[in-house]
Every structure is written in structure tokens, then in C-alpha cells.
Amino acid sequence: MGSSSLLKRIGRLSVISSSCLESSGIIIDGKSGRGSLLRGLSTAATEQELRILQQQNKSSSSLNLFSAINQALHIALDTDPRAYVFGEDVGFGGVFRCTTGLADRFGKRRVFNTPLCEQGIVGFAIGLAAMGNRAIAEIQFADYIFPAFDQIVNEAAKFRYRSGNQFNCGGLTIRAPYGAVGHGGHYHSQSPEAFFCHVPGIKVVIPRSPQQAKGLLLSCIRDPNPVVFFEPKWLYRLAVEEVPEKDYMLPLSEAEVIREGSDITLVGWGAQLSVMEQACVEAEKDGISCELIDLKTLIPWDKETVEASVNKTGRLLVSHEAPITGGFGAEISASIVERCFLRLEAPVTRVCGLDTPFPLVFEPFYLPTKNKILDAIKSTVKY
Amino acid sequence: MAIWFARSRNITHFLRTKISPFEIIVNQRCSNYSFFHANSSFKTMAGESYSRKVTELCMDKSSAAILAFRRPESAIAGGQIEAVPYTTDDDEDDENQAMEFPGGKVGFTLEMNFISESPGKRIPCYRVLDDDGYPLAGSRFEQVDEETAVRMYKSMVTLQIMDTIFYEAQRQGRISFYLTSMGEEAINIATAAALTSDDIIVPQYREPGILLWRGFTLEEFANQLFGTKKDIGKGRQMPIHYGSNEHNYFTVSSPLATQLPQAAGIAYSLKMDNKEACVVAFTGDGATSEGDFHAGMNFAAVMDAPVMFICRNNGWAISTPTSEQFRSDGVVVKGQAYGIRSIRVDGNDTLAVYSAIRAAREMIIREQKPILVEALTYRVGHHSTSDDSTKYRPLNEIEHWKTARSPLAIFRKWVQRNGWWTDKEEIELRGSIRKQVLDAIQAAEKTEKCSLEDMFTDVYDRLPSNLQEQEKSLRETVKRHKQDFPTDVPV
Ligand SMILES: Cc1ncc(C[n+]2csc(CCOP(=O)(O)OP(=O)(O)O)c2C)c(N)n1
Ligand SMILES: [Mg+2]
């Protein structure tokens, strides 16, 4: 990880944000951290990406994740006059500031507040996309995407297939902040990715860092298929990284080995990767060599990269914040058992959220913490 | 049937000239049917004109009877009260030139007329007090006795102080989140006072004043905010997500408008059980855009559910002004399209809110039908502690509503002018509430959280095997890594 020098390692207790707006609200404050689990982020740029960066001759800047998203949206609107950005409170910059400055620069006809109605936002976006536009819709929180579930599952996902490819809404991208923040309780913490991974016809993408977020979001916006893009809101301010200023895209459906190792493969996505990486670092002290893979695109996912890694290490651990039962970890586990059965030296392990609603005061117990992962790494290797 | 049409037309003609839905209330009050609050009376500053209107309306006794009739089976409702809005200026022609369609007779016209997208004039809002707390000339309202008025005022003050201190506690990092009801104290408290404790509240989230009125203590509020083991919600939800079965107050849920169709279902149950109570469901202006708002209104209308929808139209949904939320004349006009009687009221006028809610409640229970109330007000505070509203609205606008239009200030002037309240009592009250809230915070801060087992209970009625397993494994983890977990959660 030669890249870590470029990164500001950031602890989750470090930021107090008063402008981090939200309805029922997310303030990343010192209080909530409870002092235990540190969400530093060092799982960032790869060698290859670094090279790109250097070629750019320093045309990069140190950005946090919401600013990287903001930059991607600026580029998307700038490079395509048929691109639109809209959603609840998007006009003044959005409750997480991701859309700051867009309405001023591109006008209220392309960047606008919608009525407070998620099914309306997605339905409208599908219509707009079906006419050959890039509709970039924001759902204020992933927890509030469910009123739009029908539009996403029955409409967006089947628009092309049901018409024999006469129509499509490929220009649709739905952005939504997801995941824990320390004090979000039931409805500002959920990770609903698995619901959408059960739907052929849409893509699900989750970035782990600012640089990834910008490149992946631009790919999603320009991908000719509807995409649900979940943004790790815990990292909006906490993750800071050198992000190239130019317009660049990172490939979808390509997983990335962000840490090489030989004893066990760990697979994750989004904010969870930084927790997993800390476990890898700790495990190394005990002489266990971990390979860490960022899946990035959950469907259609890059089985080959994971398969190759497990064939090398003989062990697999998957970790996500969403409840373990029916989570996307189950799909990965089943597929890898199918493909690598004879190479596996231990059962596939899942370290995930528990099967309860996301509980406010019990959040530190609920989450798949570094030490839960570390314990699982050790017992899998010892199996 | 024809008689109903004819008679109802009379009412319509009357209503058309007088517009205010208030007249409907008057109409009912002079019918021969007994009312709940048999001794309730309207006070008027212009007595004679009031009684003249009453006589005028009461001439049409049978129509009044229709309005007041309690109909458990609603199937035959078609041509009765619902006929009122159907009459048009060309009734005579319509009756000759009607066509049968599923759903009934419809007149036809040779004119290709498009109905306007909005009423020409905005629906006026019912008001009693002016901004100096003087009853407006000719205003009519439900009289409030001294004891009730003082209790209402005290509760409004309590709500305001509670909001100020809890808000501050969040700023100091003692709780993770807070959201005030500032500017909406009248809607909170006057609504609560106009209801009975049997009426079931289905809140959005900016209505804690109803709980307060019903006896939810400052300690109970603090325990929820701090997520202590004394929180009846067991510390599972974010601050301000109160709920209390004992107080007939369903638990707040963040996803907007989901409570509205539920309210229709709750009300239908009250109806089937022949309860003398109604459901009161709240929504913000923003939440009316959700599909569930439509579902709730339509279900309530079609099922004749005894539910009152109160929209607190405070002008803003986080940063989105109502001008970007809906067109036409706000929320009150939506009622008619659903077949729901509706009224618009000045939400900062305690007496107007109180009178309108009392009257609406009576109609709902008597007629077993829903009513929509749009209370016009202003969200004086930021949306929540996560918001800085000066980013999107002018300071002087906030200041105007905070001072000149403060519901507390207006009501206080009226109460004080009646000789029911003094400056001295005001100072004492504020001091004592302040102390009580601070004490409640201190106590809650020292109280530990719920124990770990409460993380797993109540997902289902009992613990299924997957959760038993997960609890066991979690306890082992906690034993191994004590330092990872908060010490105020007993394991
Ligand atoms: C389904 C859903 N979408 C979005 C949100 C985020 N959110 C919380 S409050 C709010 C604004 C609500 O405004 P309004 O209904 O006018 O109520 P007010 O806050 O003004 O009382 C929004 C967008 C939510 N809680 N639920
Ligand atoms: Mg509002």
C-alpha cells in the first residue's frame, strides 16, 4: 500500500460537523464515537491509479468523499447537456452537501428540488432517462428508498427487457447515502443493498473512498443501465484522499485486490473495508497474511477475481453491515463454495450486522467490528 | 333522492356565499341531535349576526339531520352530504340534461369548460385572535374556561422551555440529536386540549406537546432522548421518537407519511368497536407529497374512517419551501378532491386551533367520517440540530414569526387580559420548569442504558433461534473484547 502516504488517516472521532445537515439527523460528533472502533480509511488508491495521478502532474486535490461526489456531479452536468440532478433538498446543496453549487452553475432547470416523494423522484427519473437523458436522482437516505422500491424493481429494472429493447432507462442513476454513522438508529443507518442485488436489470455500486467515489459515480452515470449507487455516509467527511481533478471513470463489475495476502481472502465493500483493513493489519502481527478485496460492483459482480483469490488462499471471509441473514454475503459465500469447494480449507465465514433492526444504543454491539473480524480470521485460519 | 339534492343545494348556496366551513358546524349545532359537549357554546363578538345565521341555517332542519346522522354503514352515502359539493350554478339544466354513468348521474354541458387548476381566491383561514391577542370583531369560538386556558398556556411555556434546553443539550454534545416544535406550540397544545385522552394520536414528529399535555413527564422525555433503561422505547430509536401506549400516542417513525394510511386503519377499528373516540394523525406540508398521504386520505374517505388529518403547514420541509412542494392553494383544497371535509386555520392562534379541533372532533365522531385540518404556521427553529436554516431562508423572516406571530405571546396577551395570568406567575413558572428540565437531564445522564438482552427482544414476540445464537456469540465477543463496548450498557 504505497498509496497510504497520500492519504490522511482519519479517525472517526475527529470531526465535528454542524453543517452536516439532515432531517432526523446525522451529525458526526465526538460523542457518538464511543471511543472503540476506529474508522480510519487507508484502503485507497491502487498503484495503477497512482500512476494515473502522477501522469496528471499533480492536477489533483485532497478531497473528502462528499466533495469528490460533488466534483463528479459537476463533471457529469458539464460534459452532458442532457444530464439532470434532482431530489429532496438538492437545490441548496443537499443535506450532505453533495450537490453544493450545482444549481448555481447549471441552473434550476437542470438541478432542482423535487416534492418530497421517493416514488415520484424515481418514477420521474425513469421517464426522463427513457427519453435519452441522464437522470441523476438523489434519495436523501437509503433508509427512505423503499417508497421507490416498486419503481426500481418493477419498472427501472425491467424497462429494457419487457419492451424487447425498444425502450430503456439506462441513463438512470440513483444515489443514496447508506450505512451506520454512530447514532442514526433505525432509519438513518441501514444498508439495504441486498434487496437490490436480488433484481436482475439494475446494477448496484458502492465506493470505498473519495477517489473511488468520483470515478465509479461517473461510470454509473454514463453506464447504459440503471444503477443504484450507495454512498457510505460515514465517510462523507471522514475519508480524505487525493482525487484527480480530471474527468475519469473506474470500471464497473471489476473487483480490486486492495491488499495482497496468502492465508485468507476478505471480501467487502464501502465503509466496511476500512474496518476490515484494520483487522488485516492486526492479523499480520499474528503472522496471518490477509488478502482484501473491494467488490465495488455488487451486481453484476466480479466472481473471477474473488475465485482466483480464494483458490490461492483457500479461505474466505465476507463482511457487511447489513443483517447477516439474506445479506449479499450469503450470495458470495454460496458462489464461492460452488466454485472452490475442493480448494477450501475452512467454511466460509460471514461477519455481518445482526438480525435485528438497526438499534441506536446497541450500535457498537450490532456492527461487525474490527475485533469480531479478527476473531473470525483467526478461527478460520486455525480451522 | 331528489329531495336530498334540492335541500342540499340550499346549503350549498349558502355556503358558497359564506365560504367558511365554519358554517357547517353552526348548522350541526342547531340540529336536534345531541352532541358530546352538550354545553359547549360559541362566543361571538357580534351576537346578533351570529343568531341570524343560525336561524337561517336551522330552517333547513332535515339537511342538518343528514349532516349529523351517524351512519355505521356507509354504502348508501352517495347522494347525501356528498351531494353538496356536486351542485353547480346550472342545477336546473343539469337535472334535465343528466347522463347515467357508473358512479351516478352526471349533467352534461355543451360548453367545453376546463376546470381551473386552482380556486380563484385562496381559502381563508379561520382565526379568532389578532396578533395582540384581541378577539377579532365577529369572531366565534369555543369558550375556554380559566383553568383550561391557564393549563394550556403553561403547557405551551413548558414545551418551549423543554425545547430550548434539550436543543442546547444537543449542542453541548450530551444527546445526539434534537428537533424543536418552536412556533408550533399552539397546534401542539390546543389540539391536545381539544381532544379527549381516548382519542388516538398518530404523530409525525413535531407534536410532543400532545404527550406533554397527556401527562408524559419531563423525565420520560429525557429518558427517551438519552436512551436510558427507563426509556419505554428501550433506547432503540433516535432522540424525539417518542411513543406511549398509556397515552394513546403511537411511536414516531422517521419514514414520512407512513402513519397516514395506518391512521385510517386505526380509525376503522374504532368505528367497528363503536368507540366514542377518533384518531388524530399529523403530517407536515412536505409529507403530503408522499404517496402514503394520498393513500391515507383516500382510504379514510372511502372507509368512512373517523380520523382527523392535521397538516402542520409550516412553510418548509427542511430547505424546500411549499412553493416547490405543491401547486394550487396548499393542503386544505385537497380535502374536497378526496371527499373529505376540510378547514384551514391559523395555527398560531391557540383559540382558533382549539375551536376548530373541537368542532372537527365532534363531527368526526358523530358522522363517522374523516376531516382534514390545515393549520398554517411557521417552523421557527431549524429543521433539526442537523440543519442550519439560515442557509436557505432570511433571518428576518424567522425573526418575524418568532416575535410578532409567536403563538405563546398572542395567547398570553389574551389570557392575561382576562385577568388569569400575571407577570409574576410567568417568571415563577419559567424558573420552575427550567429547573425541572435540567434536573431531568441530569438524572437521565446518570442513568445507565438498557441491558444487552434488549437488543434482541421484540424483534419478534419471542426470540427465534438465529437471534438466540447471535446473542450467545455476541456475549462471548464482549467477554473477549470488553474495551470495544460502551460501559453504560449492562451486559
Ligand atoms: C420517506 C422519507 N423521506 C425523506 C425523509 C427525510 N426527511 C425527514 S423530515 C423531512 C422534511 C419533512 O417536512 P414536513 O413534512 O414539512 O415536516 P416539518 O419538518 O416541516 O415538520 C425530510 C425530507 C424521511 N424522513 N422520510
Ligand atoms: Mg413543514
Side-chain angles (χ1 to χ4, degrees):
Chain A
M1 287 299 291
S3 58
S4 26
S5 59
L6 272 176
L7 300 171
K8 286 188 188 152
R9 267 193 93 94
I10 17 109
R12 137 189 183 200
L13 307 179
S14 59
V15 180
I16 298 213
S17 78
S18 56
S19 61
C20 181
L21 299 170
E22 198 287 297
S23 55
S24 322
I26 300 306
I27 287 193
I28 298 172
D29 63 331
K31 178 88 178 156
S32 60
R34 289 203 180 276
S36 52
L37 168 148
L38 260 182
R39 287 212 169 213
L41 185 95
S42 64
T43 49
T46 60
E47 299 299 328
Q48 184 207 351
E49 284 154 11
L50 265 176
R51 238 176 290 122
I52 301 174
L53 245 169
Q54 277 148 10
Q55 283 162 12
Q56 290 304 304
N57 234 350
K58 274 190 94 184
S59 56
S60 70
S61 48
S62 179
L63 289 187
N64 64 21
L65 199 141
F66 84 72
S67 304
I69 299 276
N70 184 254
Q71 224 179 57
L73 294 174
H74 270 280
I75 291 171
L77 287 163
D78 198 32
T79 52
D80 187 349
R82 296 189 71 104
Y84 296 84
V85 172
F86 50 89
E88 292 157 18
D89 301 295
V90 155
F92 91 120
V95 297
F96 287 108
R97 313 313 298 149
C98 293
T99 54
T100 305
L102 296 176
D104 286 343
R105 177 154 166 219
F106 300 100
K108 280 189 148 199
R109 290 159 68 93
R110 292 180 65 204
V111 179
F112 47 89
N113 286 342
T114 62
L116 208 174
C117 181
E118 292 74 16
Q119 65 196 86
I121 293 170
V122 175
F124 181 91
I126 291 173
L128 198 58
M131 297 302 286
N133 302 291
R134 299 207 189 282
I136 309 165
E138 175 175 307
I139 298 293
Q140 204 162 75
F141 278 83
D143 309 70
Y144 303 135
I145 204 169
F146 299 108
F149 204 52
D150 190 39
Q151 286 288 350
I152 298 171
V153 173
N154 280 331
E155 300 303 314
K158 299 166 179 60
F159 219 83
R160 188 192 300 274
Y161 196 78
R162 74 183 179 199
S163 70
N165 200 20
Q166 297 179 84
F167 299 100
N168 75 77
C169 60
L172 169 67
T173 303
I174 301 166
R175 301 176 36 242
Y178 86 97
V181 279
H183 48 266
H186 296 355
Y187 303 113
H188 298 85
S189 309
Q190 294 177 81
S191 300
E193 69 272 8
F195 292 109
F196 299 93
C197 291
H198 200 54
V199 186
I202 53 173
K203 295 188 175 183
V204 176
V205 177
I206 306 182
R208 69 172 185 272
S209 74
Q211 197 186 94
Q212 291 287 315
K214 179 175 170 185
L216 286 172
L217 180 55
L218 280 166
S219 294
C220 291
I221 290 169
R222 291 159 180 171
D223 189 89
N225 297 284
V227 184
V228 181
F229 187 77
F230 288 118
E231 298 167 5
K233 62 177 174 284
W234 206 330
L235 304 186
Y236 271 145
R237 279 159 196 277
L238 291 188
V240 181
E241 189 176 30
E242 282 297 310
V243 178
E245 264 154 33
K246 64 156 194 169
D247 181 349
Y248 67 94
M249 304 203 293
L250 295 173
L252 302 186
S253 290
E254 267 185 35
E256 181 186 338
V257 177
I258 52 180
R259 181 189 175 93
E260 282 187 22
S262 53
D263 296 331
I264 181 169
T265 302
L266 277 73
V267 176
W269 49 88
Q272 186 60 13
L273 285 167
S274 60
V275 181
M276 297 169 78
E277 203 210 14
Q278 291 165 39
C280 294
V281 171
E282 296 268 310
E284 196 158 32
K285 292 179 195 157
D286 284 344
I288 302 174
S289 162
C290 302
E291 180 144 305
L292 181 58
I293 297 180
D294 178 2
L295 204 56
K296 301 188 198 183
T297 301
L298 275 67
I299 48 158
W301 65 289
D302 179 2
K303 269 181 214 165
E304 291 68 27
T305 297
V306 179
E307 183 185 354
S309 173
V310 175
N311 277 334
K312 181 175 78 178
T313 63
R315 300 177 187 88
L316 174 65
L317 181 153
V318 189
S319 179
H320 54 66
E321 276 179 20
I324 185 164
T325 300
F328 196 63
E331 176 62 34
I332 298 173
S333 169
S335 301
I336 293 305
V337 170
E338 281 164 9
R339 289 172 173 235
C340 310
F341 184 69
L342 292 175
R343 263 301 286 133
L344 282 172
E345 289 171 36
V348 177
T349 310
R350 289 175 292 156
V351 185
C352 304
L354 304 185
D355 290 335
T356 71
F358 201 103
L360 184 79
V361 301
F362 305 114
E363 174 167 337
F365 298 93
Y366 171 92
L367 286 175
T369 56
K370 179 196 77 180
N371 279 325
K372 286 184 186 174
I373 296 168
L374 188 57
D375 288 352
I377 291 174
K378 288 178 184 166
S379 58
T380 303
V381 169
K382 247 191 276 158
Y383 186 84
Chain B
M1 214 43 167
I3 299 168
W4 295 140
F5 267 104
R7 301 209 166 187
S8 50
R9 202 156 58 232
N10 289 343
I11 301 177
T12 320
H13 280 305
F14 180 81
L15 288 180
R16 217 179 298 128
T17 42
K18 301 294 174 214
I19 298 176
S20 165
F22 192 79
E23 264 76 13
I24 297 178
I25 304 164
V26 178
N27 182 333
Q28 286 193 49
R29 281 176 183 280
C30 56
S31 80
N32 285 329
Y33 292 79
S34 71
F35 283 84
F36 269 110
H37 309 289
N39 55 357
S40 64
S41 64
F42 288 100
K43 231 220 171 124
T44 164
M45 304 306 289
E48 353 78 299
S49 72
Y50 166 63
S51 41
R52 204 188 62 237
K53 264 181 206 158
V54 169
T55 359
E56 218 175 297
L57 277 162
C58 285
M59 291 196 313
D60 199 0
K61 274 261 162 63
S62 43
S63 299
I66 304 161
L67 284 162
F69 185 54
R70 180 165 176 162
R71 287 170 297 133
E73 21 148 7
S74 52
I76 42 137
Q80 301 180 8
I81 175 69
E82 289 80 357
V84 174
Y86 294 166
T87 48
T88 69
D89 285 327
D90 304 311
D91 309 342
E92 301 306 323
D93 294 349
D94 283 357
E95 265 169 36
N96 303 332
Q97 309 186 337
M99 297 166 73
E100 284 286 353
F101 285 102
K105 264 190 186 165
V106 182
F108 65 80
T109 172
L110 304 180
E111 302 293 320
M112 193 168 64
N113 283 333
F114 290 82
I115 299 170
S116 166
E117 62 273 30
S118 56
K121 257 180 66 182
R122 296 199 65 181
I123 305 286
C125 91
Y126 165 59
R127 197 178 181 197
V128 173
L129 298 175
D130 68 15
D131 287 352
D132 286 321
Y134 285 101
L136 293 154
S139 65
R140 276 167 269 133
F141 59 96
E142 190 89 29
Q143 188 51 278
V144 184
D145 62 30
E146 174 174 352
E147 192 192 332
T148 313
V150 170
R151 188 176 159 212
M152 285 165 72
Y153 180 66
K154 283 179 164 177
S155 302
M156 288 165 75
V157 172
T158 307
L159 180 55
Q160 191 188 53
I161 295 176
M162 173 178 124
D163 271 349
T164 311
I165 300 178
F166 285 145
Y167 185 85
E168 202 44 47
Q170 194 284 337
R171 293 280 108 181
Q172 295 168 2
R174 297 160 93 167
I175 51 177
S176 58
F177 175 81
Y178 194 69
L179 171 156
T180 74
S181 304
M182 283 174 185
E184 300 177 42
E185 292 91 349
I187 298 172
N188 269 258
I189 300 299
T191 300
L195 301 174
T196 74
S197 54
D198 290 337
D199 297 325
I200 295 176
I201 307 300
V202 187
Q204 178 160 308
Y205 48 64
R206 222 180 282 282
E207 306 88 9
I210 300 189
L211 267 180
L212 186 71
W213 179 268
R214 291 187 172 187
F216 200 74
T217 64
L218 294 172
E219 289 72 31
E220 286 175 297
F221 282 113
N223 281 315
Q224 198 285 331
L225 298 172
F226 283 83
T228 75
K229 68 176 182 193
K230 291 183 183 160
D231 166 26
I232 38 184
K234 303 186 186 171
R236 293 169 183 156
Q237 283 217 79
M238 276 176 65
I240 72 109
H241 290 65
Y242 313 112
S244 171
N245 197 348
E246 181 196 338
H247 298 99
N248 277 329
Y249 193 100
F250 273 83
T251 303
V252 172
S253 167
S254 314
L256 289 166
T258 48
Q259 74 278 13
L260 303 175
Q262 295 168 10
I266 298 165
Y268 193 72
S269 176
L270 291 181
K271 180 191 189 86
M272 295 304 285
D273 292 342
N274 258 308
K275 289 274 165 58
E276 297 282 334
C278 67
V279 175
V280 176
F282 285 89
T283 172
D285 44 281
T288 66
S289 295
E290 290 283 3
D292 273 348
F293 172 82
H294 168 82
M297 297 284 284
N298 197 38
F299 266 70
V302 170
M303 303 306 295
D304 286 317
V307 50
M308 187 184 326
F309 295 105
I310 301 181
C311 174
R312 299 175 291 94
N313 182 346
N314 59 17
W316 296 92
I318 309 186
S319 75
T320 306
T322 48
S323 59
E324 293 174 24
Q325 199 62 252
F326 38 61
R327 290 287 187 263
S328 186
D329 185 15
V331 177
V332 69
V333 293
K334 297 180 202 273
Q336 194 169 71
Y338 290 110
I340 294 181
R341 202 175 299 162
S342 47
I343 185 170
R344 172 174 272 166
V345 22
D346 176 359
N348 289 26
D349 177 345
T350 308
L351 288 183
V353 174
Y354 180 79
S355 304
I357 302 296
R358 279 279 289 246
R361 179 184 185 274
E362 280 189 24
M363 280 189 273
I364 289 167
I365 292 174
R366 176 161 312 282
E367 298 178 37
Q368 292 293 293
K369 290 165 53 157
I371 283 184
L372 169 66
V373 179
E374 180 186 28
L376 298 182
T377 182
Y378 188 84
R379 195 195 77 212
V380 164
H382 301 303
H383 172 74
S384 73
T385 46
S386 307
D387 176 37
D388 172 8
S389 63
T390 58
K391 278 209 171 86
Y392 52 80
R393 56 182 193 177
L395 269 173
N396 59 357
E397 176 183 305
I398 305 174
E399 204 48 33
H400 168 72
W401 284 91
K402 196 170 176 175
T403 51
R405 301 253 32 236
S406 156
L408 274 92
I410 297 170
F411 191 52
R412 178 180 172 183
K413 285 175 194 155
W414 182 78
V415 175
Q416 213 152 339
R417 206 170 286 124
N418 284 339
W420 296 343
W421 192 247
T422 61
D423 290 352
K424 186 165 161 279
E425 284 170 300
E426 177 86 15
I427 294 166
E428 279 167 15
L429 175 71
R430 286 186 178 268
S432 122
I433 303 287
R434 215 187 136 69
K435 182 167 179 315
Q436 286 174 47
V437 178
L438 291 172
D439 287 350
I441 288 181
Q442 266 190 355
E445 225 159 17
K446 283 194 215 117
T447 310
E448 60 185 9
K449 310 293 184 219
C450 282
S451 63
L452 190 57
E453 68 177 272
D454 282 319
M455 174 174 170
F456 297 94
T457 54
D458 306 333
V459 180
Y460 301 95
D461 63 333
R462 17 178 178 176
L463 226 58
S465 59
N466 61 324
L467 286 180
Q468 286 173 19
E469 232 172 68
Q470 289 174 21
E471 181 173 354
K472 189 161 161 269
S473 138
L474 175 61
R475 286 183 187 284
E476 283 158 17
T477 305
V478 174
K479 249 184 235 151
R480 275 197 303 275
H481 306 286
K482 274 214 172 62
Q483 75 289 354
D484 287 0
F485 300 98
T487 49
D488 54 357
V489 175
V491 183

